[in-house]
């Protein structure tokens, strides 16, 4: 949610045509209650095209253009039970819906809500496939349920209809004997070690790891079918306790998952008190910065007697020659089978460049400021057709992108997004972290026509040239892109560059209230509700477009200790993990219930919860202050954050609006009939009229950040400043316009607008503002223009500027020009729109 109140998007697009009685294409899928895993209903694209009286190439070109946002007309609709056709896509890109069981479109939630299942849409002309993927919300079903969704593809004035049935398989689980959960008391009936080799990784990418368990069920005293049905209940792993601030392995075992795709765990190292060293052994831990790797989505197939899971690393934490060992137990009563996962980090494969043929090169030069707080940089264009021609390949997919390794050979990168890489200051491959200096990323893995280059916060020196190469390789041929980055010193915003004031001179020049709701979760990290403030307004108040983010440091007995901290602990910087008491803290499963990061250029705040934090329950609230500070003047805007955990997110629906222009006079009557009707007040047993709206806390006014205030009684009134905001900072507390309301008759009120503090409106000082009436999460808005009496002519058209947004992408990396509701990637993060 971008502001305190959010306009709810229109849910339904209705069309006159109805679905044919019998769908032309149909499929029945059967799934266990497996969660997000997608199962595809695949149809021949040629047959779909024939149904639409067109050819495959024409249909594929049209759909791809639509996926990319180049076509506004929607082609694909979900059909409701009453025949209503929906195009409010709530699952990422075009054609995807999160659905109720009915079905009807709904938004995705972190925990199970109405969003019980979803579909995706894709095509593959090469494979002649039209694909509708189906998945579930984890824990939405128990088994035995059957759901049906109908879709229609409209093109060339023809329709192709699809009927998809999903049957949830109900399995009767066998009785599992009570598990012995202490290693010393178990009878180990067998053991095997699974050797896994991976290169150091800068992402969460995982590899499937299979374990052959032939004969294990019999040794445990059960059957393979029983193991398959209850595998999540019988998998255990090792745990730790903290002694003298050191993690020490214990004898006890845990079945509780700590990874995202259950069953599974994150693992971190423990201390060996006998050897007095940090051990290679790792044990179960919650997701945190000191983790080594994870195993998740463990499942057992009785037919093949194979245990399968995904194993991936914590980005940047493991180096070449590191070894990590995790022990997992399958427990049946007091018997156990032990599986040891041994992960060894190996050096990436390299290619000697001296034995290769250089077929072309191009130079690119960038210049940007060093930045201690962000990953900012610049971008440039690459003629990909020239690269394809020089390498003699048919398409970009035939090219491998490589970078220089620390030993002088070429190696495949991929430690940044979309096939890009993080690099050291010397231009060699590395992972994101303290050793990284620069990164490059294409627009997408298939589109290298634009390449973005950025920096690790604080890693680059001023007035320095950094050079690196991007190598496009096919066989023994390579084409090199030589990149030079020239850094310049960022311009100081203060009147005396380079001279920062002491923290004792910091002073607040404005406050912004930030109210955020979050649903507690054991797996969701980023809180869907974001907050957008008025960046221009903040920049004007503090006197710079590049303020520095601070928060309150923990109290100290040292009288010279800083009151404020800009030691960032939450990425992407700048950001902080916060303690229960509202002070900056490190990222910890015990001490950091929530965090926030600021995208200052976009004027947006993203919030996070530590998944499964014990105190994060419905009803819990946290308060803290964060500050955007001009370090050269001490001027700062205070963000007063109130983060509340709730069972359900409460949103406010804007049910109507109108625009009015009024003069500054003793009073002008306005009609509230439309507002009363839209708010549903006439439907009450005792209709609430204009008098009731004035006497109850229902009036909301405009905050500087663009949100609305908490409701107040309209007769109390409020001061507005010259920008039309409620602003209670010292210099604006009294304001220049006093606005209040007086009863007139049943359906109208007088708005009283008084000029205050020697302020006099002129034709050049028109004030644009907003106010609204709120009733039970419904909001009716008035866009108000206040003008001087002589200029007053009355108009019905008052426009407000559109907010500028950065490029967004769907979950497959496709650029989205006209986003619907759903999950997207924006500014390198997952967001909900």
């Amino acid at each position: 949610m971008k502001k305190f109140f959010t306009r709810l998007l229109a849910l339904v697009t209705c069309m006159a045509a109805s679905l044919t009685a019998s769908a032309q294409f149909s499929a029945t899928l059967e799934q266990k209650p497996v969660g997000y895993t997608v199962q595809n209903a695949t149809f021949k694209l040629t047959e779909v095209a024939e149904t639409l009286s067109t050819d495959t190439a024409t249909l594929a070109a049209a759909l791809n253009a639509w996926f990319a946002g180049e076509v506004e007309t929607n082609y694909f609709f979900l059909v409701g039970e009453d025949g209503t056709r929906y195009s409010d896509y709530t699952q990422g890109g075009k054609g995807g819906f999160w659905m109720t069981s009915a079905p009807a479109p709904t938004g995705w939630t972190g925990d199970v809500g109405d969003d019980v299942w979803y579909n995706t849409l894709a095509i593959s002309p090469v494979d002649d496939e039209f694909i509708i993927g189906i998945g579930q919300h984890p824990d939405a079903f128990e088994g035995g349920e059957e759901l049906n969704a109908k879709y229609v593809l409209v093109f060339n004035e023809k329709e192709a209809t699809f009927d998809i049935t999903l049957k949830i398989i109900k399995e009767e689980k066998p009785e599992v004997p009570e598990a012995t959960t202490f290693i010393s008391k178990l009878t180990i009936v067998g053991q095997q070690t699974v050797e896994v080799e991976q290169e150091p990784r800068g992402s969460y990418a995982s590899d499937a790891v299979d374990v052959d368990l032939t004969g294990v069920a019999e040794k445990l005293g059960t059957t393979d079918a029983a193991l398959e049905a209850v595998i999540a209940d019988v998998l255990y792993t090792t745990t730790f306790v903290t002694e003298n601030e050191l993690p020490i392995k214990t004898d006890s075992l845990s079945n509780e998952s700590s990874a995202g795709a259950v069953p599974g765990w994150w693992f971190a190292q423990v201390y060996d008190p006998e050897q007095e060293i940090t051990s290679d052994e790792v044990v179960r831990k919650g997701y945190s910065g000191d983790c080594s790797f994870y195993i998740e989505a463990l499942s057992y197939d009785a037919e093949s007697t194979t245990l399968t899971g995904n194993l991936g690393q914590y980005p940047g934490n493991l180096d070449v020659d590191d070894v990590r060992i995790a022990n997992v137990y399958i427990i049946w009563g007091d018997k156990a089978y032990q599986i040891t996962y041994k992960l060894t980090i190996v050096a990436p494969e390299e290619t000697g460049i001296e034995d290769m043929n250089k077929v072309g090169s191009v130079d690119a030069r960038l210049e940007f400021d060093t930045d201690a707080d962000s990953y900012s940089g610049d971008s440039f264009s690459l003629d990909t057709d020239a690269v394809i021609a020089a390498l003699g390949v048919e398409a970009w997919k035939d090219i491998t992108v490589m970078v220089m390794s620390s030993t002088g050979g070429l190696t495949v990168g991929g430690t940044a997004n979309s096939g890009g890489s993080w690099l050291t200051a010397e231009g060699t491959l590395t992972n994101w972290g303290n050793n990284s200096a620069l990164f490059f990323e294409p627009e997408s893995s298939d589109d290298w026509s634009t390449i973005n280059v950025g920096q690790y916060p604080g890693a680059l020196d001023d007035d320095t040239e950094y050079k690196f190469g991007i190598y496009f390789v096919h066989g023994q041929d390579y084409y090199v892109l030589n990149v030079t980055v020239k850094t310049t010193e960022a311009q100081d915003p203060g009147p005396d560059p380079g001279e920062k004031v002491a923290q004792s001179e910091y002073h607040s020049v404005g406050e912004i209230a930030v109210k955020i709701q979050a649903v507690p979760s054991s797996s969701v990290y980023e809180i869907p509700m974001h907050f957008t403030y008025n960046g221009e307004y903040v920049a004007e108040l503090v006197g710079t477009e590049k303020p520095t983010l601070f928060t309150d440091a923990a109290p100290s007995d040292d009288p010279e200790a800083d009151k404020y901290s800009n030691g960032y602990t939450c990425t992407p910087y700048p950001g902080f993990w916060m303690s229960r008491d509202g002070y900056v803290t490190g990222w910890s499963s015990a001490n950091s219930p929530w965090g926030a990061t600021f995208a200052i250029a976009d004027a947006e705040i993203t919030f996070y919860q530590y998944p499964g934090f014990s105190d994060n329950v419905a009803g819990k609230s946290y308060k803290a202050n964060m500050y955007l500070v001009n370090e050269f003047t001490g001027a700062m805007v205070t963000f007063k954050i109130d983060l509340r955990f709730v069972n359900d997110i409460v949103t406010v629906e804007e049910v109507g609006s109108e625009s009015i222009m009024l003069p500054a006079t003793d009073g002008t009557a306005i009609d509230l009939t439309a507002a009363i009707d839209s708010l549903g007040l006439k439907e009450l047993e005792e209709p609430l009229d204009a008098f009731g709206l004035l006497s109850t806390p229902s009036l909301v006014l405009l905050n500087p950040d663009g949100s609305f205030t908490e409701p107040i009684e309209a007769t109390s009134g409020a001061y507005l400043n010259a920008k039309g905001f409620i602003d209670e900072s010292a210099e604006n507390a009294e304001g220049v316009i006093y606005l209040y309301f007086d009863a007139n008759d049943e359906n109208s009120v007088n708005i009283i607008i008084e000029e205050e503090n020697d302020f006099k409106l002129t034709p050049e000082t028109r004030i644009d503002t907003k106010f609204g009436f709120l009733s039970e999460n419904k909001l009716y808005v008035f866009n108000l223009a206040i003008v001087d009496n002589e200029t007053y002519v009355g108009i019905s058209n008052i426009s407000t500027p559109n907010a500028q947004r950065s490029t967004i992408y769907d979950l497959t990396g496709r650029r989205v020009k006209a986003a619907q509701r759903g999950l997207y990637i924006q500014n390198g993060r997952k967001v909900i729109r």
Side-chain angles (χ1 to χ4, degrees), residues 75-89:
Y75 294 138
F76 191 73
F77 302 88
L78 172 66
V79 183
E81 291 181 315
D82 61 357
T84 300
R85 297 187 177 189
Y86 299 91
S87 60
D88 188 11
Y89 308 116

Side-chain angles (χ1 to χ4, degrees), residues 77 228 237 285 371 395 469 516 556 672 739:
F77 302 88
E228 180 178 22
T237 192
K285 191 174 185 183
D371 195 329
I516 296 295
S556 171
L672 293 186
L739 182 72

Side-chain angles (χ1 to χ4, degrees), residues 63 75 129-130 211 219 286 321 403 432 581 644 698 760 762 779 810:
L63 291 177
Y75 294 138
E129 292 179 343
F130 182 90
V211 184
K219 292 180 180 179
D321 295 331
V403 293
W432 174 88
D581 300 324
R644 296 176 182 269
S698 61
K760 183 67 177 177
T762 69
L779 176 69
D810 67 19

Side-chain angles (χ1 to χ4, degrees), residues 5-7 652-660 670 672 674-675 678-679 699-702 708 769-774 778-784 800:
F5 294 114
T6 297
R7 179 192 297 273
V652 174
E653 179 183 5
E654 186 177 311
V655 295
S657 65
E658 55 188 272
S659 298
I660 54 177
I670 64 168
L672 293 186
S678 297
L679 293 170
L699 175 70
V700 294
L701 298 122
L702 192 63
F708 284 109
T769 188
K770 292 182 180 183
F771 68 89
F773 289 101
L774 178 69
K778 293 183 178 180
L779 176 69
Y780 192 90
V781 176
F782 287 87
N783 299 294
L784 172 62
T800 56

Side-chain angles (χ1 to χ4, degrees), residues 668-688:
T668 305
I670 64 168
D671 189 355
L672 293 186
T673 302
I676 293 170
D677 288 344
S678 297
L679 293 170
L681 300 178
K682 287 296 187 185
E683 300 172 3
L684 301 177
E685 292 183 5
E686 298 181 1
L688 187 64

